[in-house]
Every structure is written in structure tokens, then in C-alpha cells.
Amino acid sequence: MSPALSVALLSFVPLISAYAVANPKPTAVAQEHPLITPSPTLRDPVTRTIHLKRGILDDLKGDVNSVLSGLGSNIPSYVASGVPNFFQDFPVGEDVRKSLGVDESQVSALPISVLNVPGYGNWTDQGWNLRFHGNVYKQPNTTQEKLDDLANVFLIDTSIDELPPDQAAQARNLTAEIFVLQQSNENVTFDLKPAPTAGASGEQGGGGAVTPNGGSQQIKFPNPTTTEGDFDAFVQIDSNGLTDGNKTSNIQRLNVYTEGSNIGNATAYLVPPTGLTIISDIDDILRITKIYQPKEGLLNSFARPFVQWKNMPDIYANWSRSIPDFHFHYLTTTPEQVTRNYMDFIYKTYPGGSFDTRPLNFSDVDATLSIRKYLLNKIFETYPRRKFILVADTSNSDVMKAYPQMATDFPGQVQCIFLRNTSATDDGDKFPYDTSGFKDLDKNTYMFFKVPDDLTNLDIQNGHCLNASIQQNLTFGYQGLPFGIDLGKGAANPTSRASLWVGIVVAGVAVVFTMI
């Protein structure tokens, strides 16, 4: 059975669950442990309204998981939970050492390496505080034969010897980044210098920030690394020629060099208390990923060169040039080990900006579902007087829940929400998306769009977020189901109980048979 068929079967699960939500049995039944559609709302008590007998849905979900586990390919079972994230459950610590067959003496002889993630800083009464975050690790010497074996674990319906040479090389490099030895209890020291450039926006310096007149200094990170090798904290830095945050609207850009590691360098951004920040997802909004098609998504992330999504770089470059002191922040839930390619792509294609990735202690599916909201809360709480533009796509179920929730949790701070409707623009996206979170939001503060040009001529600086020529058609329920079936109180053509059931069955069967 092909991976496409398994994904089609998975798309059938939300149909059944969504049907149960929309059409509970009219007669009372005993309250059982509820089960809802496989999505991040799996543990949200607000959605626990299903009265359909659990066994029916459990059996169907079990069948889908059986389909996944029975495939000869390595499609991860967490896809059935509505989390199309290929990079999951990476090996760490002893598991890596054993997989590579290296002993303690070999590890001790290896040099220290550092992943330094571009950070952001905020102004307080005590001065500038800069967030340093990343990971300390050692890179084992691994043979190509071993890397090939390990890389094949991540590939679906192919192997590394079947890839073109350039893709095989990238797959090996990414595998090497995954199989590293995280170093706990390490102390890290940084050197700060004014940064002349960062990013590619067509604007001098890369956009979004200025080069300060000073700021050079050495910073000793106050805490040793965690068990997973991570470090993450705000540290107060000296002014040393930096402009006070309450005296400028400019974002000041600093290079951050890690002592003892020639690859542990990044650019940090000192962001004043007021202004506008864009928080942007990357996959399927800034680059072509297709996370909803496991085989394609994995190849696009693991082996193929990153490719921009249409003319999205032009949109961001225009915003960088036309909106003064616009802070760009890129947030991906991809685990930090494999984000060097992401950062390299962004800095070559989009305006420079700070980054958030998934740290190693957020490693399983449940943690993946919570990390985006955790990171969003962190930056919102850091800048309580700034306004935010949130950009992503509908294929991320955690986005569909977290973005509207931010507007509720932080009133007045979410200026605009822009979501690419992937199911409307890519027939490979078989996963429905839930728009119920937008029901109580001002309809002028968000827009679902199809192509980057839909975002042109919007005055987002002044809160004009809606292109009136782009139809929204939100039902405030599950949308993007096969054959145009939508569920929710806002559905344009409410469907009877019987015809809805027939439509779901026919749609599911038809989708499956088109994949055989």
C-alpha cells in the first residue's frame, strides 16, 4: 500500500470524528471517555462533546494505525494524530553513542560544537536583556556507510543510494546533525560585536534592523547546559555604546560569536518596547515543504534544496522596506538539531530576524503540540506593548488553535493573522483544518489567503488585514474535507444528518480509490 493511500485513509478519520461532533445521538447515553478528531485538540476539555460510542471511533483509528504500522515504509504513526511532523523522537545521549558504536574515550577526544540560535533582546529599567539559546554537542566521526544506514531510517519508499548525488549528500549531512552527542553541564561564553548585515530583503543590511555604534563585550552564560545540552536564558548586557531602548525605535543588530566553536555564531536583535513584530512559520508558507504528504515532505526537508513558496520573499521584502523598524521573528517547531538549513535558507531569502525552534526537551507528540504556544507566550510576554502579525498555513493544526488563542489571551496585541489555505491551493493536502477558534474574533483582523499576491496593498502597519476581494467562507468548524464538505455553524449549505453521512462515506471511499 502506498504512503498516499495511508494519508488518504487518515483523512477519513477526521471525517468520522467531525461528523460525530456535528451530529451527536439525540438520546442520552452513558458518559464515556471522550474521543475527538485526531488533532491538537485531542486533550482540550472544551471540545469533549462527543456522545457517539467510543468503540466505533477507536476501532477506526486503530485500523488507521494498523495501516501505518503495516506499511513497508517508515511512515510515522503520529501522523494519525494530526501532527504531520516528520522529525520526531530523535535519538539523544546514550542512544546516539550506541547507534554510532563510539566509546567514551572517542567521545572525550571530540571538540565541542555549539548551535547558536538567533535571539532577541528587550529593554527594561536595568538596561538591555538578550536571550541566548541553543545547544552544545559533539559531532562524532561517522563513516559514510554508517550515515547511509542511518539516513535510510528517515526515508520513505526510497533509499539514499536512489537519490541524486547532491540530495544524497544533503541527507547525509542532515543525518549527521541528528546523530550528535549533546553535552550537559557545559559552560558557554559569547563575544558580542555590532552586526553590519543579516538577511536578504533588498534593503541595506538585510532589513529589519540597524548596525549599532557599540555593544562589543564578552558574556559568560550564567548556567551550565541542561541534560540535553540546551541553554536558554535572558542575560543582562552592558550598553557599551548601544542606544537605550527607551530612546530609539530602531532594532539594533549584534553578532554573537561562541568561544571555542567556529560554527556557533548567530545574529541577535535588540528590540525596543513598542513597535510591530511579525512572527512567521516557515514550512509551507515561506518554503515548499508539503508536510501533509509524508514522502514529499520528508524529501523536501531531508534531501532536496529548500525552495521558496512562490513570490513570498517579495512580500516580506516589501514589508521590510515599507514598514519602519519591523521586527522579523521566525518560529518553527522543527527540532533544533536540523534547523541550520532553515536558518541558512531564511537569511539567504528573507529579511534577517530572530528565531525560535523546538528544543530537545520537547521531543514527543504531546510536547510538539504545546511548544508553539509556549514559544508564542514567551515573546508576547517579553514585549507586552508591541503588536504582532502572525503568519502560517492551515496544515499546522497547532497553529489553527494557537493563533486565535493568542488574540484572546493577549487582547490588543495581535494586529493581523494571515493563514495560507493549503487545502485550497494544493490538492495533496488531505487533512481538514478547524476554524472554530476564529468564531469570536473580529473578522477584519484575520485573512485566509491562497497566493502571496493576496497580501499586497494591505496596510498592516495600521491594522488593515483583510483583502476584501479574497473570499473567506469560514464555517467555524472543520473545513477542507474531501469533495468540499465543511462542518460548522457557519457552513453555507447545512447538510441533513443522512445526506452528511452518505457524503462522508462516499468522499472517503472515493479519495481512497483515487490513491490505489
Side-chain angles (χ1 to χ4, degrees), residues 113-116 190 256-259 261-266 340:
S113 296
V114 178
L115 172 66
N116 190 0
F190 304 97
V256 182
Y257 302 97
T258 308
E259 290 193 355
S261 176
N262 58 7
I263 61 172
N265 305 325
R340 287 194 191 276

Side-chain angles (χ1 to χ4, degrees), residues 68-236:
L68 288 173
S69 61
L71 291 174
S73 59
N74 292 315
I75 295 179
S77 61
Y78 55 77
V79 173
S81 298
V83 189
N85 190 329
F86 337 102
F87 295 132
Q88 201 77 35
D89 297 325
F90 280 172
V92 295
E94 279 297 295
D95 291 337
V96 173
R97 191 177 68 79
K98 291 176 181 178
S99 296
L100 298 178
V102 294
D103 58 35
E104 292 290 351
S105 62
Q106 292 173 308
V107 173
S108 299
L110 294 172
I112 289 287
S113 296
V114 178
L115 172 66
N116 190 0
V117 180
Y120 54 82
N122 67 322
W123 176 259
T124 69
D125 293 339
Q126 288 73 44
W128 284 109
N129 289 280
L130 180 58
R131 183 182 173 207
F132 297 86
H133 60 130
N135 187 265
V136 178
Y137 63 94
K138 289 186 175 184
Q139 182 72 65
N141 297 317
T142 310
T143 65
Q144 179 174 313
E145 181 181 7
K146 186 65 175 178
L147 284 176
D148 288 354
D149 290 341
L150 295 172
N152 284 334
V153 173
F154 297 98
L155 295 173
I156 297 174
D157 285 350
T158 189
S159 61
I160 198 164
D161 59 356
E162 296 175 340
L163 297 176
D166 60 330
Q167 294 185 22
Q170 179 165 312
R172 292 186 188 102
N173 288 338
L174 201 59
T175 302
E177 291 178 6
I178 295 170
F179 285 87
V180 296
L181 300 165
Q182 289 80 22
Q183 300 299 296
S184 63
N185 204 35
E186 291 286 342
N187 296 305
V188 191
T189 299
F190 304 97
D191 290 316
L192 307 184
K193 303 287 183 183
T197 183
S201 65
E203 187 180 3
Q204 185 177 5
V210 300
T211 304
N213 294 323
S216 297
Q217 58 195 283
Q218 184 183 83
I219 299 293
K220 293 183 177 181
F221 194 78
N223 309 313
T225 55
T226 66
T227 302
E228 297 86 5
D230 284 336
F231 58 91
D232 189 349
F234 282 90
V235 180
Q236 186 171 341

